Amino acid sequence: MTGRTPLLPVPSQKDEAEEKSPSKTRAALPVIAGMGLTLLLVLGILDRRAVKDGVHHLLDLCQQLRPVEAMALLFFATAVANLLCLPSFGLFIGSGVVFSRICDSPVHAAVIGTVSVFGGLWFGSMAA
């Protein structure tokens, strides 16, 4: 060798960081997050009425907003529903109803509703 350090470490040379085990809190963080998401999913399944009321409240709120704000809200609501494996079909149908009431043209309403919901589906699937 010409005095340079080798590209791959020699087995006798061990890095101190590799010898240390990861901290217990850092290793437990994904487990705790998974348990929390599972708990939310189970509570959503057990209390369907609360989920239904939440969707109705969300759609009522969207009717009071401007189209851009309603689009953003439905986008993120669909993304979160997709991320948490909750049914989002009610948001699909609701977006058509909401945007047909707050937009002047039915074509614009259909395009805005479709873009917001399917954009949220894409974003939620990429985040998952």
PDB file of all heavy atoms in Angstrom, residues 63-98:
ATOM      1  N   GLN A  63     -68.626  23.519   2.205  1.00  0.00           N
ATOM      2  CA  GLN A  63     -69.621  24.318   1.489  1.00  0.00           C
ATOM      3  C   GLN A  63     -69.568  25.788   1.892  1.00  0.00           C
ATOM      4  O   GLN A  63     -70.000  26.654   1.136  1.00  0.00           O
ATOM      5  CB  GLN A  63     -71.021  23.769   1.732  1.00  0.00           C
ATOM      6  CG  GLN A  63     -71.263  22.456   1.041  1.00  0.00           C
ATOM      7  CD  GLN A  63     -72.671  21.943   1.279  1.00  0.00           C
ATOM      8  OE1 GLN A  63     -73.504  22.626   1.869  1.00  0.00           O
ATOM      9  NE2 GLN A  63     -72.925  20.734   0.813  1.00  0.00           N
ATOM     10  N   GLN A  64     -69.028  26.080   3.059  1.00  0.00           N
ATOM     11  CA  GLN A  64     -68.953  27.457   3.533  1.00  0.00           C
ATOM     12  C   GLN A  64     -67.659  28.141   3.109  1.00  0.00           C
ATOM     13  O   GLN A  64     -67.521  29.342   3.261  1.00  0.00           O
ATOM     14  CB  GLN A  64     -69.071  27.493   5.058  1.00  0.00           C
ATOM     15  CG  GLN A  64     -70.380  26.936   5.563  1.00  0.00           C
ATOM     16  CD  GLN A  64     -70.378  26.722   7.066  1.00  0.00           C
ATOM     17  OE1 GLN A  64     -69.397  27.017   7.731  1.00  0.00           O
ATOM     18  NE2 GLN A  64     -71.469  26.191   7.577  1.00  0.00           N
ATOM     19  N   LEU A  65     -66.708  27.380   2.564  1.00  0.00           N
ATOM     20  CA  LEU A  65     -65.412  27.926   2.177  1.00  0.00           C
ATOM     21  C   LEU A  65     -65.397  28.327   0.711  1.00  0.00           C
ATOM     22  O   LEU A  65     -66.291  27.978  -0.052  1.00  0.00           O
ATOM     23  CB  LEU A  65     -64.316  26.883   2.426  1.00  0.00           C
ATOM     24  CG  LEU A  65     -64.129  26.407   3.864  1.00  0.00           C
ATOM     25  CD1 LEU A  65     -63.122  25.271   3.898  1.00  0.00           C
ATOM     26  CD2 LEU A  65     -63.675  27.545   4.750  1.00  0.00           C
ATOM     27  N   ARG A  66     -64.346  29.066   0.332  1.00  0.00           N
ATOM     28  CA  ARG A  66     -64.126  29.367  -1.077  1.00  0.00           C
ATOM     29  C   ARG A  66     -63.692  28.080  -1.778  1.00  0.00           C
ATOM     30  O   ARG A  66     -63.202  27.145  -1.134  1.00  0.00           O
ATOM     31  CB  ARG A  66     -63.048  30.433  -1.226  1.00  0.00           C
ATOM     32  CG  ARG A  66     -63.468  31.783  -0.665  1.00  0.00           C
ATOM     33  CD  ARG A  66     -62.396  32.797  -0.863  1.00  0.00           C
ATOM     34  NE  ARG A  66     -61.186  32.332  -0.160  1.00  0.00           N
ATOM     35  CZ  ARG A  66     -60.026  32.960  -0.192  1.00  0.00           C
ATOM     36  NH1 ARG A  66     -59.896  34.061  -0.891  1.00  0.00           N
ATOM     37  NH2 ARG A  66     -58.990  32.500   0.471  1.00  0.00           N
ATOM     38  N   PRO A  67     -63.850  27.978  -3.100  1.00  0.00           N
ATOM     39  CA  PRO A  67     -63.495  26.742  -3.800  1.00  0.00           C
ATOM     40  C   PRO A  67     -62.050  26.296  -3.611  1.00  0.00           C
ATOM     41  O   PRO A  67     -61.776  25.103  -3.467  1.00  0.00           O
ATOM     42  CB  PRO A  67     -63.773  27.077  -5.268  1.00  0.00           C
ATOM     43  CG  PRO A  67     -64.820  28.119  -5.229  1.00  0.00           C
ATOM     44  CD  PRO A  67     -64.537  28.925  -3.995  1.00  0.00           C
ATOM     45  N   VAL A  68     -61.120  27.238  -3.569  1.00  0.00           N
ATOM     46  CA  VAL A  68     -59.709  26.868  -3.393  1.00  0.00           C
ATOM     47  C   VAL A  68     -59.476  26.285  -1.994  1.00  0.00           C
ATOM     48  O   VAL A  68     -58.757  25.290  -1.839  1.00  0.00           O
ATOM     49  CB  VAL A  68     -58.800  28.093  -3.634  1.00  0.00           C
ATOM     50  CG1 VAL A  68     -57.356  27.768  -3.312  1.00  0.00           C
ATOM     51  CG2 VAL A  68     -58.937  28.586  -5.057  1.00  0.00           C
ATOM     52  N   GLU A  69     -60.089  26.890  -0.998  1.00  0.00           N
ATOM     53  CA  GLU A  69     -59.940  26.383   0.369  1.00  0.00           C
ATOM     54  C   GLU A  69     -60.601  25.018   0.527  1.00  0.00           C
ATOM     55  O   GLU A  69     -60.059  24.122   1.177  1.00  0.00           O
ATOM     56  CB  GLU A  69     -60.547  27.381   1.359  1.00  0.00           C
ATOM     57  CG  GLU A  69     -59.823  28.709   1.417  1.00  0.00           C
ATOM     58  CD  GLU A  69     -60.598  29.750   2.195  1.00  0.00           C
ATOM     59  OE1 GLU A  69     -61.826  29.575   2.389  1.00  0.00           O
ATOM     60  OE2 GLU A  69     -59.974  30.751   2.598  1.00  0.00           O
ATOM     61  N   ALA A  70     -61.784  24.861  -0.073  1.00  0.00           N
ATOM     62  CA  ALA A  70     -62.471  23.566  -0.008  1.00  0.00           C
ATOM     63  C   ALA A  70     -61.677  22.496  -0.727  1.00  0.00           C
ATOM     64  O   ALA A  70     -61.608  21.348  -0.281  1.00  0.00           O
ATOM     65  CB  ALA A  70     -63.868  23.688  -0.609  1.00  0.00           C
ATOM     66  N   MET A  71     -61.047  22.873  -1.847  1.00  0.00           N
ATOM     67  CA  MET A  71     -60.220  21.928  -2.592  1.00  0.00           C
ATOM     68  C   MET A  71     -59.042  21.465  -1.744  1.00  0.00           C
ATOM     69  O   MET A  71     -58.738  20.270  -1.685  1.00  0.00           O
ATOM     70  CB  MET A  71     -59.725  22.583  -3.878  1.00  0.00           C
ATOM     71  CG  MET A  71     -58.910  21.696  -4.761  1.00  0.00           C
ATOM     72  SD  MET A  71     -58.443  22.604  -6.244  1.00  0.00           S
ATOM     73  CE  MET A  71     -57.319  21.449  -6.966  1.00  0.00           C
ATOM     74  N   ALA A  72     -58.379  22.392  -1.075  1.00  0.00           N
ATOM     75  CA  ALA A  72     -57.239  22.029  -0.231  1.00  0.00           C
ATOM     76  C   ALA A  72     -57.676  21.158   0.942  1.00  0.00           C
ATOM     77  O   ALA A  72     -57.006  20.177   1.283  1.00  0.00           O
ATOM     78  CB  ALA A  72     -56.544  23.290   0.275  1.00  0.00           C
ATOM     79  N   LEU A  73     -58.800  21.492   1.531  1.00  0.00           N
ATOM     80  CA  LEU A  73     -59.289  20.714   2.673  1.00  0.00           C
ATOM     81  C   LEU A  73     -59.652  19.290   2.265  1.00  0.00           C
ATOM     82  O   LEU A  73     -59.281  18.323   2.947  1.00  0.00           O
ATOM     83  CB  LEU A  73     -60.490  21.415   3.309  1.00  0.00           C
ATOM     84  CG  LEU A  73     -61.029  20.814   4.596  1.00  0.00           C
ATOM     85  CD1 LEU A  73     -59.952  20.790   5.671  1.00  0.00           C
ATOM     86  CD2 LEU A  73     -62.219  21.594   5.080  1.00  0.00           C
ATOM     87  N   LEU A  74     -60.338  19.129   1.149  1.00  0.00           N
ATOM     88  CA  LEU A  74     -60.678  17.786   0.685  1.00  0.00           C
ATOM     89  C   LEU A  74     -59.438  17.019   0.219  1.00  0.00           C
ATOM     90  O   LEU A  74     -59.360  15.809   0.366  1.00  0.00           O
ATOM     91  CB  LEU A  74     -61.710  17.851  -0.440  1.00  0.00           C
ATOM     92  CG  LEU A  74     -63.132  18.071   0.023  1.00  0.00           C
ATOM     93  CD1 LEU A  74     -64.060  18.267  -1.153  1.00  0.00           C
ATOM     94  CD2 LEU A  74     -63.602  16.914   0.868  1.00  0.00           C
ATOM     95  N   PHE A  75     -58.471  17.731  -0.343  1.00  0.00           N
ATOM     96  CA  PHE A  75     -57.204  17.111  -0.737  1.00  0.00           C
ATOM     97  C   PHE A  75     -56.535  16.461   0.467  1.00  0.00           C
ATOM     98  O   PHE A  75     -56.192  15.277   0.450  1.00  0.00           O
ATOM     99  CB  PHE A  75     -56.295  18.171  -1.370  1.00  0.00           C
ATOM    100  CG  PHE A  75     -54.913  17.686  -1.710  1.00  0.00           C
ATOM    101  CD1 PHE A  75     -54.671  17.097  -2.934  1.00  0.00           C
ATOM    102  CD2 PHE A  75     -53.862  17.830  -0.815  1.00  0.00           C
ATOM    103  CE1 PHE A  75     -53.406  16.659  -3.264  1.00  0.00           C
ATOM    104  CE2 PHE A  75     -52.595  17.393  -1.129  1.00  0.00           C
ATOM    105  CZ  PHE A  75     -52.358  16.805  -2.362  1.00  0.00           C
ATOM    106  N   PHE A  76     -56.356  17.236   1.536  1.00  0.00           N
ATOM    107  CA  PHE A  76     -55.668  16.709   2.715  1.00  0.00           C
ATOM    108  C   PHE A  76     -56.524  15.704   3.488  1.00  0.00           C
ATOM    109  O   PHE A  76     -55.992  14.752   4.055  1.00  0.00           O
ATOM    110  CB  PHE A  76     -55.201  17.848   3.622  1.00  0.00           C
ATOM    111  CG  PHE A  76     -54.009  18.562   3.053  1.00  0.00           C
ATOM    112  CD1 PHE A  76     -54.117  19.862   2.606  1.00  0.00           C
ATOM    113  CD2 PHE A  76     -52.784  17.930   2.933  1.00  0.00           C
ATOM    114  CE1 PHE A  76     -53.033  20.521   2.061  1.00  0.00           C
ATOM    115  CE2 PHE A  76     -51.694  18.574   2.384  1.00  0.00           C
ATOM    116  CZ  PHE A  76     -51.815  19.881   1.948  1.00  0.00           C
ATOM    117  N   ALA A  77     -57.844  15.885   3.495  1.00  0.00           N
ATOM    118  CA  ALA A  77     -58.711  14.915   4.168  1.00  0.00           C
ATOM    119  C   ALA A  77     -58.647  13.561   3.470  1.00  0.00           C
ATOM    120  O   ALA A  77     -58.586  12.512   4.121  1.00  0.00           O
ATOM    121  CB  ALA A  77     -60.140  15.432   4.215  1.00  0.00           C
ATOM    122  N   THR A  78     -58.636  13.567   2.143  1.00  0.00           N
ATOM    123  CA  THR A  78     -58.530  12.317   1.393  1.00  0.00           C
ATOM    124  C   THR A  78     -57.158  11.692   1.589  1.00  0.00           C
ATOM    125  O   THR A  78     -57.033  10.467   1.723  1.00  0.00           O
ATOM    126  CB  THR A  78     -58.789  12.562  -0.103  1.00  0.00           C
ATOM    127  OG1 THR A  78     -60.027  13.244  -0.249  1.00  0.00           O
ATOM    128  CG2 THR A  78     -58.831  11.270  -0.868  1.00  0.00           C
ATOM    129  N   ALA A  79     -56.116  12.512   1.634  1.00  0.00           N
ATOM    130  CA  ALA A  79     -54.767  11.984   1.848  1.00  0.00           C
ATOM    131  C   ALA A  79     -54.649  11.331   3.224  1.00  0.00           C
ATOM    132  O   ALA A  79     -54.077  10.238   3.351  1.00  0.00           O
ATOM    133  CB  ALA A  79     -53.740  13.109   1.704  1.00  0.00           C
ATOM    134  N   VAL A  80     -55.193  11.968   4.245  1.00  0.00           N
ATOM    135  CA  VAL A  80     -55.133  11.398   5.599  1.00  0.00           C
ATOM    136  C   VAL A  80     -55.966  10.123   5.686  1.00  0.00           C
ATOM    137  O   VAL A  80     -55.538   9.132   6.295  1.00  0.00           O
ATOM    138  CB  VAL A  80     -55.589  12.449   6.642  1.00  0.00           C
ATOM    139  CG1 VAL A  80     -55.816  11.830   8.003  1.00  0.00           C
ATOM    140  CG2 VAL A  80     -54.564  13.562   6.735  1.00  0.00           C
ATOM    141  N   ALA A  81     -57.138  10.124   5.060  1.00  0.00           N
ATOM    142  CA  ALA A  81     -57.966   8.917   5.062  1.00  0.00           C
ATOM    143  C   ALA A  81     -57.250   7.773   4.364  1.00  0.00           C
ATOM    144  O   ALA A  81     -57.272   6.627   4.836  1.00  0.00           O
ATOM    145  CB  ALA A  81     -59.309   9.197   4.394  1.00  0.00           C
ATOM    146  N   ASN A  82     -56.587   8.061   3.271  1.00  0.00           N
ATOM    147  CA  ASN A  82     -55.837   7.035   2.555  1.00  0.00           C
ATOM    148  C   ASN A  82     -54.644   6.562   3.375  1.00  0.00           C
ATOM    149  O   ASN A  82     -54.336   5.368   3.419  1.00  0.00           O
ATOM    150  CB  ASN A  82     -55.372   7.585   1.208  1.00  0.00           C
ATOM    151  CG  ASN A  82     -54.859   6.509   0.288  1.00  0.00           C
ATOM    152  OD1 ASN A  82     -55.109   5.328   0.486  1.00  0.00           O
ATOM    153  ND2 ASN A  82     -54.148   6.920  -0.736  1.00  0.00           N
ATOM    154  N   LEU A  83     -53.993   7.473   4.039  1.00  0.00           N
ATOM    155  CA  LEU A  83     -52.824   7.133   4.859  1.00  0.00           C
ATOM    156  C   LEU A  83     -53.209   6.262   6.048  1.00  0.00           C
ATOM    157  O   LEU A  83     -52.477   5.347   6.419  1.00  0.00           O
ATOM    158  CB  LEU A  83     -52.153   8.423   5.343  1.00  0.00           C
ATOM    159  CG  LEU A  83     -50.828   8.305   6.063  1.00  0.00           C
ATOM    160  CD1 LEU A  83     -49.777   7.719   5.146  1.00  0.00           C
ATOM    161  CD2 LEU A  83     -50.368   9.663   6.547  1.00  0.00           C
ATOM    162  N   LEU A  84     -54.373   6.504   6.623  1.00  0.00           N
ATOM    163  CA  LEU A  84     -54.831   5.734   7.781  1.00  0.00           C
ATOM    164  C   LEU A  84     -55.708   4.539   7.396  1.00  0.00           C
ATOM    165  O   LEU A  84     -56.292   3.899   8.269  1.00  0.00           O
ATOM    166  CB  LEU A  84     -55.600   6.641   8.746  1.00  0.00           C
ATOM    167  CG  LEU A  84     -54.808   7.762   9.382  1.00  0.00           C
ATOM    168  CD1 LEU A  84     -55.698   8.622  10.253  1.00  0.00           C
ATOM    169  CD2 LEU A  84     -53.648   7.211  10.197  1.00  0.00           C
ATOM    170  N   CYS A  85     -55.797   4.264   6.100  1.00  0.00           N
ATOM    171  CA  CYS A  85     -56.592   3.133   5.588  1.00  0.00           C
ATOM    172  C   CYS A  85     -58.070   3.260   5.968  1.00  0.00           C
ATOM    173  O   CYS A  85     -58.730   2.256   6.245  1.00  0.00           O
ATOM    174  CB  CYS A  85     -56.028   1.800   6.060  1.00  0.00           C
ATOM    175  SG  CYS A  85     -54.367   1.488   5.482  1.00  0.00           S
ATOM    176  N   LEU A  86     -58.566   4.462   6.013  1.00  0.00           N
ATOM    177  CA  LEU A  86     -59.983   4.692   6.268  1.00  0.00           C
ATOM    178  C   LEU A  86     -60.714   4.809   4.932  1.00  0.00           C
ATOM    179  O   LEU A  86     -60.123   5.229   3.934  1.00  0.00           O
ATOM    180  CB  LEU A  86     -60.182   5.973   7.078  1.00  0.00           C
ATOM    181  CG  LEU A  86     -59.613   5.968   8.490  1.00  0.00           C
ATOM    182  CD1 LEU A  86     -59.739   7.353   9.105  1.00  0.00           C
ATOM    183  CD2 LEU A  86     -60.331   4.951   9.339  1.00  0.00           C
ATOM    184  N   PRO A  87     -61.971   4.437   4.889  1.00  0.00           N
ATOM    185  CA  PRO A  87     -62.695   4.554   3.623  1.00  0.00           C
ATOM    186  C   PRO A  87     -62.875   6.019   3.232  1.00  0.00           C
ATOM    187  O   PRO A  87     -63.260   6.847   4.050  1.00  0.00           O
ATOM    188  CB  PRO A  87     -64.040   3.886   3.911  1.00  0.00           C
ATOM    189  CG  PRO A  87     -64.164   3.867   5.383  1.00  0.00           C
ATOM    190  CD  PRO A  87     -62.788   3.863   5.943  1.00  0.00           C
ATOM    191  N   SER A  88     -62.577   6.311   1.988  1.00  0.00           N
ATOM    192  CA  SER A  88     -62.686   7.691   1.525  1.00  0.00           C
ATOM    193  C   SER A  88     -63.717   7.846   0.416  1.00  0.00           C
ATOM    194  O   SER A  88     -63.776   8.891  -0.224  1.00  0.00           O
ATOM    195  CB  SER A  88     -61.317   8.194   1.055  1.00  0.00           C
ATOM    196  OG  SER A  88     -60.776   7.319   0.101  1.00  0.00           O
ATOM    197  N   PHE A  89     -64.527   6.832   0.195  1.00  0.00           N
ATOM    198  CA  PHE A  89     -65.533   6.899  -0.854  1.00  0.00           C
ATOM    199  C   PHE A  89     -66.548   8.008  -0.588  1.00  0.00           C
ATOM    200  O   PHE A  89     -67.009   8.668  -1.521  1.00  0.00           O
ATOM    201  CB  PHE A  89     -66.252   5.547  -0.994  1.00  0.00           C
ATOM    202  CG  PHE A  89     -67.251   5.518  -2.097  1.00  0.00           C
ATOM    203  CD1 PHE A  89     -66.834   5.514  -3.412  1.00  0.00           C
ATOM    204  CD2 PHE A  89     -68.604   5.523  -1.825  1.00  0.00           C
ATOM    205  CE1 PHE A  89     -67.749   5.503  -4.444  1.00  0.00           C
ATOM    206  CE2 PHE A  89     -69.528   5.516  -2.847  1.00  0.00           C
ATOM    207  CZ  PHE A  89     -69.106   5.500  -4.157  1.00  0.00           C
ATOM    208  N   GLY A  90     -66.887   8.236   0.663  1.00  0.00           N
ATOM    209  CA  GLY A  90     -67.815   9.316   1.002  1.00  0.00           C
ATOM    210  C   GLY A  90     -67.276  10.677   0.604  1.00  0.00           C
ATOM    211  O   GLY A  90     -68.039  11.573   0.224  1.00  0.00           O
ATOM    212  N   LEU A  91     -65.953  10.837   0.676  1.00  0.00           N
ATOM    213  CA  LEU A  91     -65.350  12.100   0.251  1.00  0.00           C
ATOM    214  C   LEU A  91     -65.425  12.258  -1.265  1.00  0.00           C
ATOM    215  O   LEU A  91     -65.550  13.367  -1.768  1.00  0.00           O
ATOM    216  CB  LEU A  91     -63.900  12.174   0.724  1.00  0.00           C
ATOM    217  CG  LEU A  91     -63.695  12.229   2.237  1.00  0.00           C
ATOM    218  CD1 LEU A  91     -62.222  12.145   2.580  1.00  0.00           C
ATOM    219  CD2 LEU A  91     -64.300  13.487   2.804  1.00  0.00           C
ATOM    220  N   PHE A  92     -65.338  11.135  -2.013  1.00  0.00           N
ATOM    221  CA  PHE A  92     -65.446  11.203  -3.473  1.00  0.00           C
ATOM    222  C   PHE A  92     -66.817  11.741  -3.870  1.00  0.00           C
ATOM    223  O   PHE A  92     -66.934  12.670  -4.669  1.00  0.00           O
ATOM    224  CB  PHE A  92     -65.275   9.832  -4.120  1.00  0.00           C
ATOM    225  CG  PHE A  92     -63.976   9.142  -3.854  1.00  0.00           C
ATOM    226  CD1 PHE A  92     -63.832   7.817  -4.162  1.00  0.00           C
ATOM    227  CD2 PHE A  92     -62.898   9.802  -3.300  1.00  0.00           C
ATOM    228  CE1 PHE A  92     -62.650   7.157  -3.936  1.00  0.00           C
ATOM    229  CE2 PHE A  92     -61.700   9.155  -3.063  1.00  0.00           C
ATOM    230  CZ  PHE A  92     -61.579   7.823  -3.384  1.00  0.00           C
ATOM    231  N   ILE A  93     -67.850  11.124  -3.316  1.00  0.00           N
ATOM    232  CA  ILE A  93     -69.208  11.528  -3.646  1.00  0.00           C
ATOM    233  C   ILE A  93     -69.499  12.921  -3.098  1.00  0.00           C
ATOM    234  O   ILE A  93     -70.091  13.767  -3.766  1.00  0.00           O
ATOM    235  CB  ILE A  93     -70.227  10.507  -3.086  1.00  0.00           C
ATOM    236  CG1 ILE A  93     -69.954   9.117  -3.652  1.00  0.00           C
ATOM    237  CG2 ILE A  93     -71.652  10.936  -3.361  1.00  0.00           C
ATOM    238  CD1 ILE A  93     -70.027   9.028  -5.143  1.00  0.00           C
ATOM    239  N   GLY A  94     -69.048  13.168  -1.886  1.00  0.00           N
ATOM    240  CA  GLY A  94     -69.284  14.468  -1.266  1.00  0.00           C
ATOM    241  C   GLY A  94     -68.616  15.614  -1.996  1.00  0.00           C
ATOM    242  O   GLY A  94     -69.138  16.731  -2.033  1.00  0.00           O
ATOM    243  N   SER A  95     -67.453  15.362  -2.582  1.00  0.00           N
ATOM    244  CA  SER A  95     -66.764  16.445  -3.299  1.00  0.00           C
ATOM    245  C   SER A  95     -67.573  16.887  -4.512  1.00  0.00           C
ATOM    246  O   SER A  95     -67.629  18.077  -4.826  1.00  0.00           O
ATOM    247  CB  SER A  95     -65.365  16.018  -3.723  1.00  0.00           C
ATOM    248  OG  SER A  95     -65.418  15.032  -4.729  1.00  0.00           O
ATOM    249  N   GLY A  96     -68.212  15.948  -5.180  1.00  0.00           N
ATOM    250  CA  GLY A  96     -69.067  16.331  -6.309  1.00  0.00           C
ATOM    251  C   GLY A  96     -70.230  17.188  -5.875  1.00  0.00           C
ATOM    252  O   GLY A  96     -70.576  18.170  -6.533  1.00  0.00           O
ATOM    253  N   VAL A  97     -70.842  16.834  -4.759  1.00  0.00           N
ATOM    254  CA  VAL A  97     -71.978  17.603  -4.241  1.00  0.00           C
ATOM    255  C   VAL A  97     -71.515  18.981  -3.778  1.00  0.00           C
ATOM    256  O   VAL A  97     -72.142  20.009  -4.092  1.00  0.00           O
ATOM    257  CB  VAL A  97     -72.665  16.835  -3.091  1.00  0.00           C
ATOM    258  CG1 VAL A  97     -73.729  17.689  -2.434  1.00  0.00           C
ATOM    259  CG2 VAL A  97     -73.243  15.530  -3.598  1.00  0.00           C
ATOM    260  N   VAL A  98     -70.409  19.030  -3.046  1.00  0.00           N
ATOM    261  CA  VAL A  98     -69.913  20.300  -2.504  1.00  0.00           C
ATOM    262  C   VAL A  98     -69.555  21.263  -3.626  1.00  0.00           C
ATOM    263  O   VAL A  98     -69.988  22.425  -3.635  1.00  0.00           O
ATOM    264  CB  VAL A  98     -68.691  20.054  -1.582  1.00  0.00           C
ATOM    265  CG1 VAL A  98     -67.952  21.335  -1.294  1.00  0.00           C
ATOM    266  CG2 VAL A  98     -69.127  19.400  -0.295  1.00  0.00           C
TER     267      VAL A  98
END
